Amino acid sequence: MLKRLFFVCCLISGLCLSARAFNTATQDSLFRVLQYKKADTSRVNTLFAYAMSYLPDSLQKADQIFREALHLSRQLHYDKGVADFACYYMYIQDMRGQYRESLFMVDKAASIYAALKDTMNLMRALSFSGNEHHSLGNFPAAAGRYLEALKLADAMRDSLFSGMMNNHLASLFVILKDFRKGFQYAEKAYHNGLAVGNNRRTSAALITMGSCMVSLHRYEEGEQYYRQAINTGRELEDSAYVLKAQLNLGNLYFEQGNREKAYQQYSQALELSDKYPQPELLTYLYLGYGRELFNLNRFTEAFSYVEKAITMAQEYNATNELRWAYLVASNLKATMGDYKQAFLLREKFEVLNDSLTGDAARNNVALLEMQYQSEKKDRELTEKQLQLTRKDLQLQHKNMWLFFFLISAILLLAFAFLVWQRLKHRHKLQQQQLQTMEVEKTVQVLEAMIQGEERERTRLSKDLHDGVGGLLSAVKMHFAAVKHDRTVLQTDKGFIHAMGMLDDAIGEVRKTAHNLMPELLARMGLAEAVRFYCRNVSHSRHLTISCYAPDDIGRFKANFELSVYRIVQELVNNIIKHSQATEAFVQLTRHGQLLTITVEDNGIGFQTHPGLQTGMGLNSLQSRIKALNGNLEIDASRGHGTTAYIEFDIAIMQLMEV
């Protein structure tokens, strides 16, 4: 009957500040400090410490000091102080059984801490809120608060707080009878405690782990965990953990029917109760000890302890514990022959039981009564049909096993299919990643090559323009001076022809330098640069290049314009070198977010173009265009010339302001 009640013992963790942590010397020291403290936030925090030194012996004095701290916090508009008050004052409210009032306040405190982005205190407030929900029996809400706090603790990498939350969650799952999951959380809490070297956390976790093992009827393992918790508690000289473990160990022996050991454990726990007068533990201790005295036929003494449990449960509003205390007391009085008192206690139990369980208990009793009457009437018929029923049961048993086998086979196949699909999908993703990496590598190599080419073109352009061009210009000036000094040369045809050739050389050097690094591209844009380039390379005797490039195509980023200009250059150079064409046509157009380039010639066709496999090459040209978010199509038939058509999606290109 009290089995479930004893599991709740493991909920009491190390959050509550021990009243014995402060003594009179501490109170005197804090009082002297307060005499000189100004009315600021530091005084608020000192008041909180001073109030805690009076707990749990002087609740009224502590209450007065807490309220003084709250009043000062409001005067200073110190929001954190208001939130801290709720978390400290919760201890007094819990001692008075005011769980709902305490829940309201700690939830408000959590809101304040969240607004202040005070994660550490927010975790503490969420934990306290979970404790209050737990005390009120709202276990889903308590689990929600603990999980919120656990997420924050994991994000903060606070192993100590994570262990505490894991132990709270483990205790909830024990109450909800999900013992395996409870053991998992308790085991996490145990390892958290070991990681941070906190024996109190490990001791609390061991008690919860033991309760889970007992509920799963693995008594030997449960006893080992309880014994380990007792040893740890004694090493810490903390009788609270020893008391909790002994209470649970007594319940284990009761479950095994070992009354002598159970009585021994409860007796030892009772001796420790003076050192740790925790109300929740004392209620369970008195009920358990009274139960064992009842089994020893010490009825009067047993009833006195049950009465203590009733008084304590009434004082702290422990409704569920009070219900079971009434039932145990009723059974005791009936055994002692006091049937009137037994009836009154039983009636109180029924009232509380109805308030906690509604009409469920009465409906169950009525159902049992109907089943009993039906079984009585049908007993003879049941005897006659017993043989047939056994055969039917055997057949059903076989069918059930066959059904389970088929379901298992289907689930196994489904699982294998899902694993296969997952592996296939993972392989596909890996292939896609490899392809993406290859493309990225190609683009990086291409970008490096382009940058190297541009640097080399710039260097050559400067060398031609500043070096060779300057030298030729100096030679021309020298010849012009000689011509001026010697009048005979002014009419010399050979000299005049040489000067003309020198002018042509200077022009060619300038043209070549411009093609290598066109300044016009940066100043006037892509359209004007392409038109100028086509005019420069067009030779009336061998190749005539027509160009259509309207200015309304706009301006683009400098790198994009230079790359497109180089692509046009490469295509035109291939025509000059390899096509044997007499006419060529270059066209740049723009339609919305689409830039198109067409380069045509009337040469010998693509197949006989060996130049496409040298220099930049077709593959390199394709890679460069693809890197610019473009597409290249080539139509080349032998003897019918070559047409190169390029499209660029310029939606992602940022237009420049002219």
Side-chain angles (χ1 to χ4, degrees), residues 267-331:
S267 299
Q268 293 176 1
L270 192 62
E271 293 177 2
L272 285 175
S273 63
D274 292 336
K275 299 180 181 179
Y276 193 79
Q278 188 67 32
E280 294 90 343
L281 288 179
L282 290 178
T283 303
Y284 304 133
L285 174 58
Y286 293 154
L287 281 174
Y289 189 64
R291 180 185 60 189
E292 296 307 318
L293 290 174
F294 173 78
N295 292 328
L296 294 174
N297 297 326
R298 294 161 60 179
F299 303 125
T300 303
E301 190 176 355
F303 186 75
S304 67
Y305 279 98
V306 174
E307 277 189 319
K308 290 181 180 180
I310 291 174
T311 301
M312 189 160 290
Q314 289 173 336
E315 182 179 354
Y316 296 105
N317 197 26
T319 310
N320 192 44
E321 290 76 11
L322 183 61
R323 172 177 59 141
W324 294 113
Y326 281 145
L327 181 61
V328 173
S330 174
N331 293 336

Side-chain angles (χ1 to χ4, degrees), residues 55-70:
L55 291 177
D57 301 323
S58 303
L59 291 182
Q60 185 174 358
K61 180 65 175 178
D63 189 316
Q64 177 185 351
I65 301 171
F66 277 136
R67 291 180 182 275
E68 181 183 348
L70 174 63

Side-chain angles (χ1 to χ4, degrees), residues 147-165:
L147 286 170
E148 287 184 59
L150 181 58
K151 289 178 182 178
L152 293 175
D154 290 341
M156 295 281 290
R157 296 183 178 180
D158 190 335
S159 299
L160 181 62
F161 201 87
S162 294
M164 186 166 59
M165 292 302 99

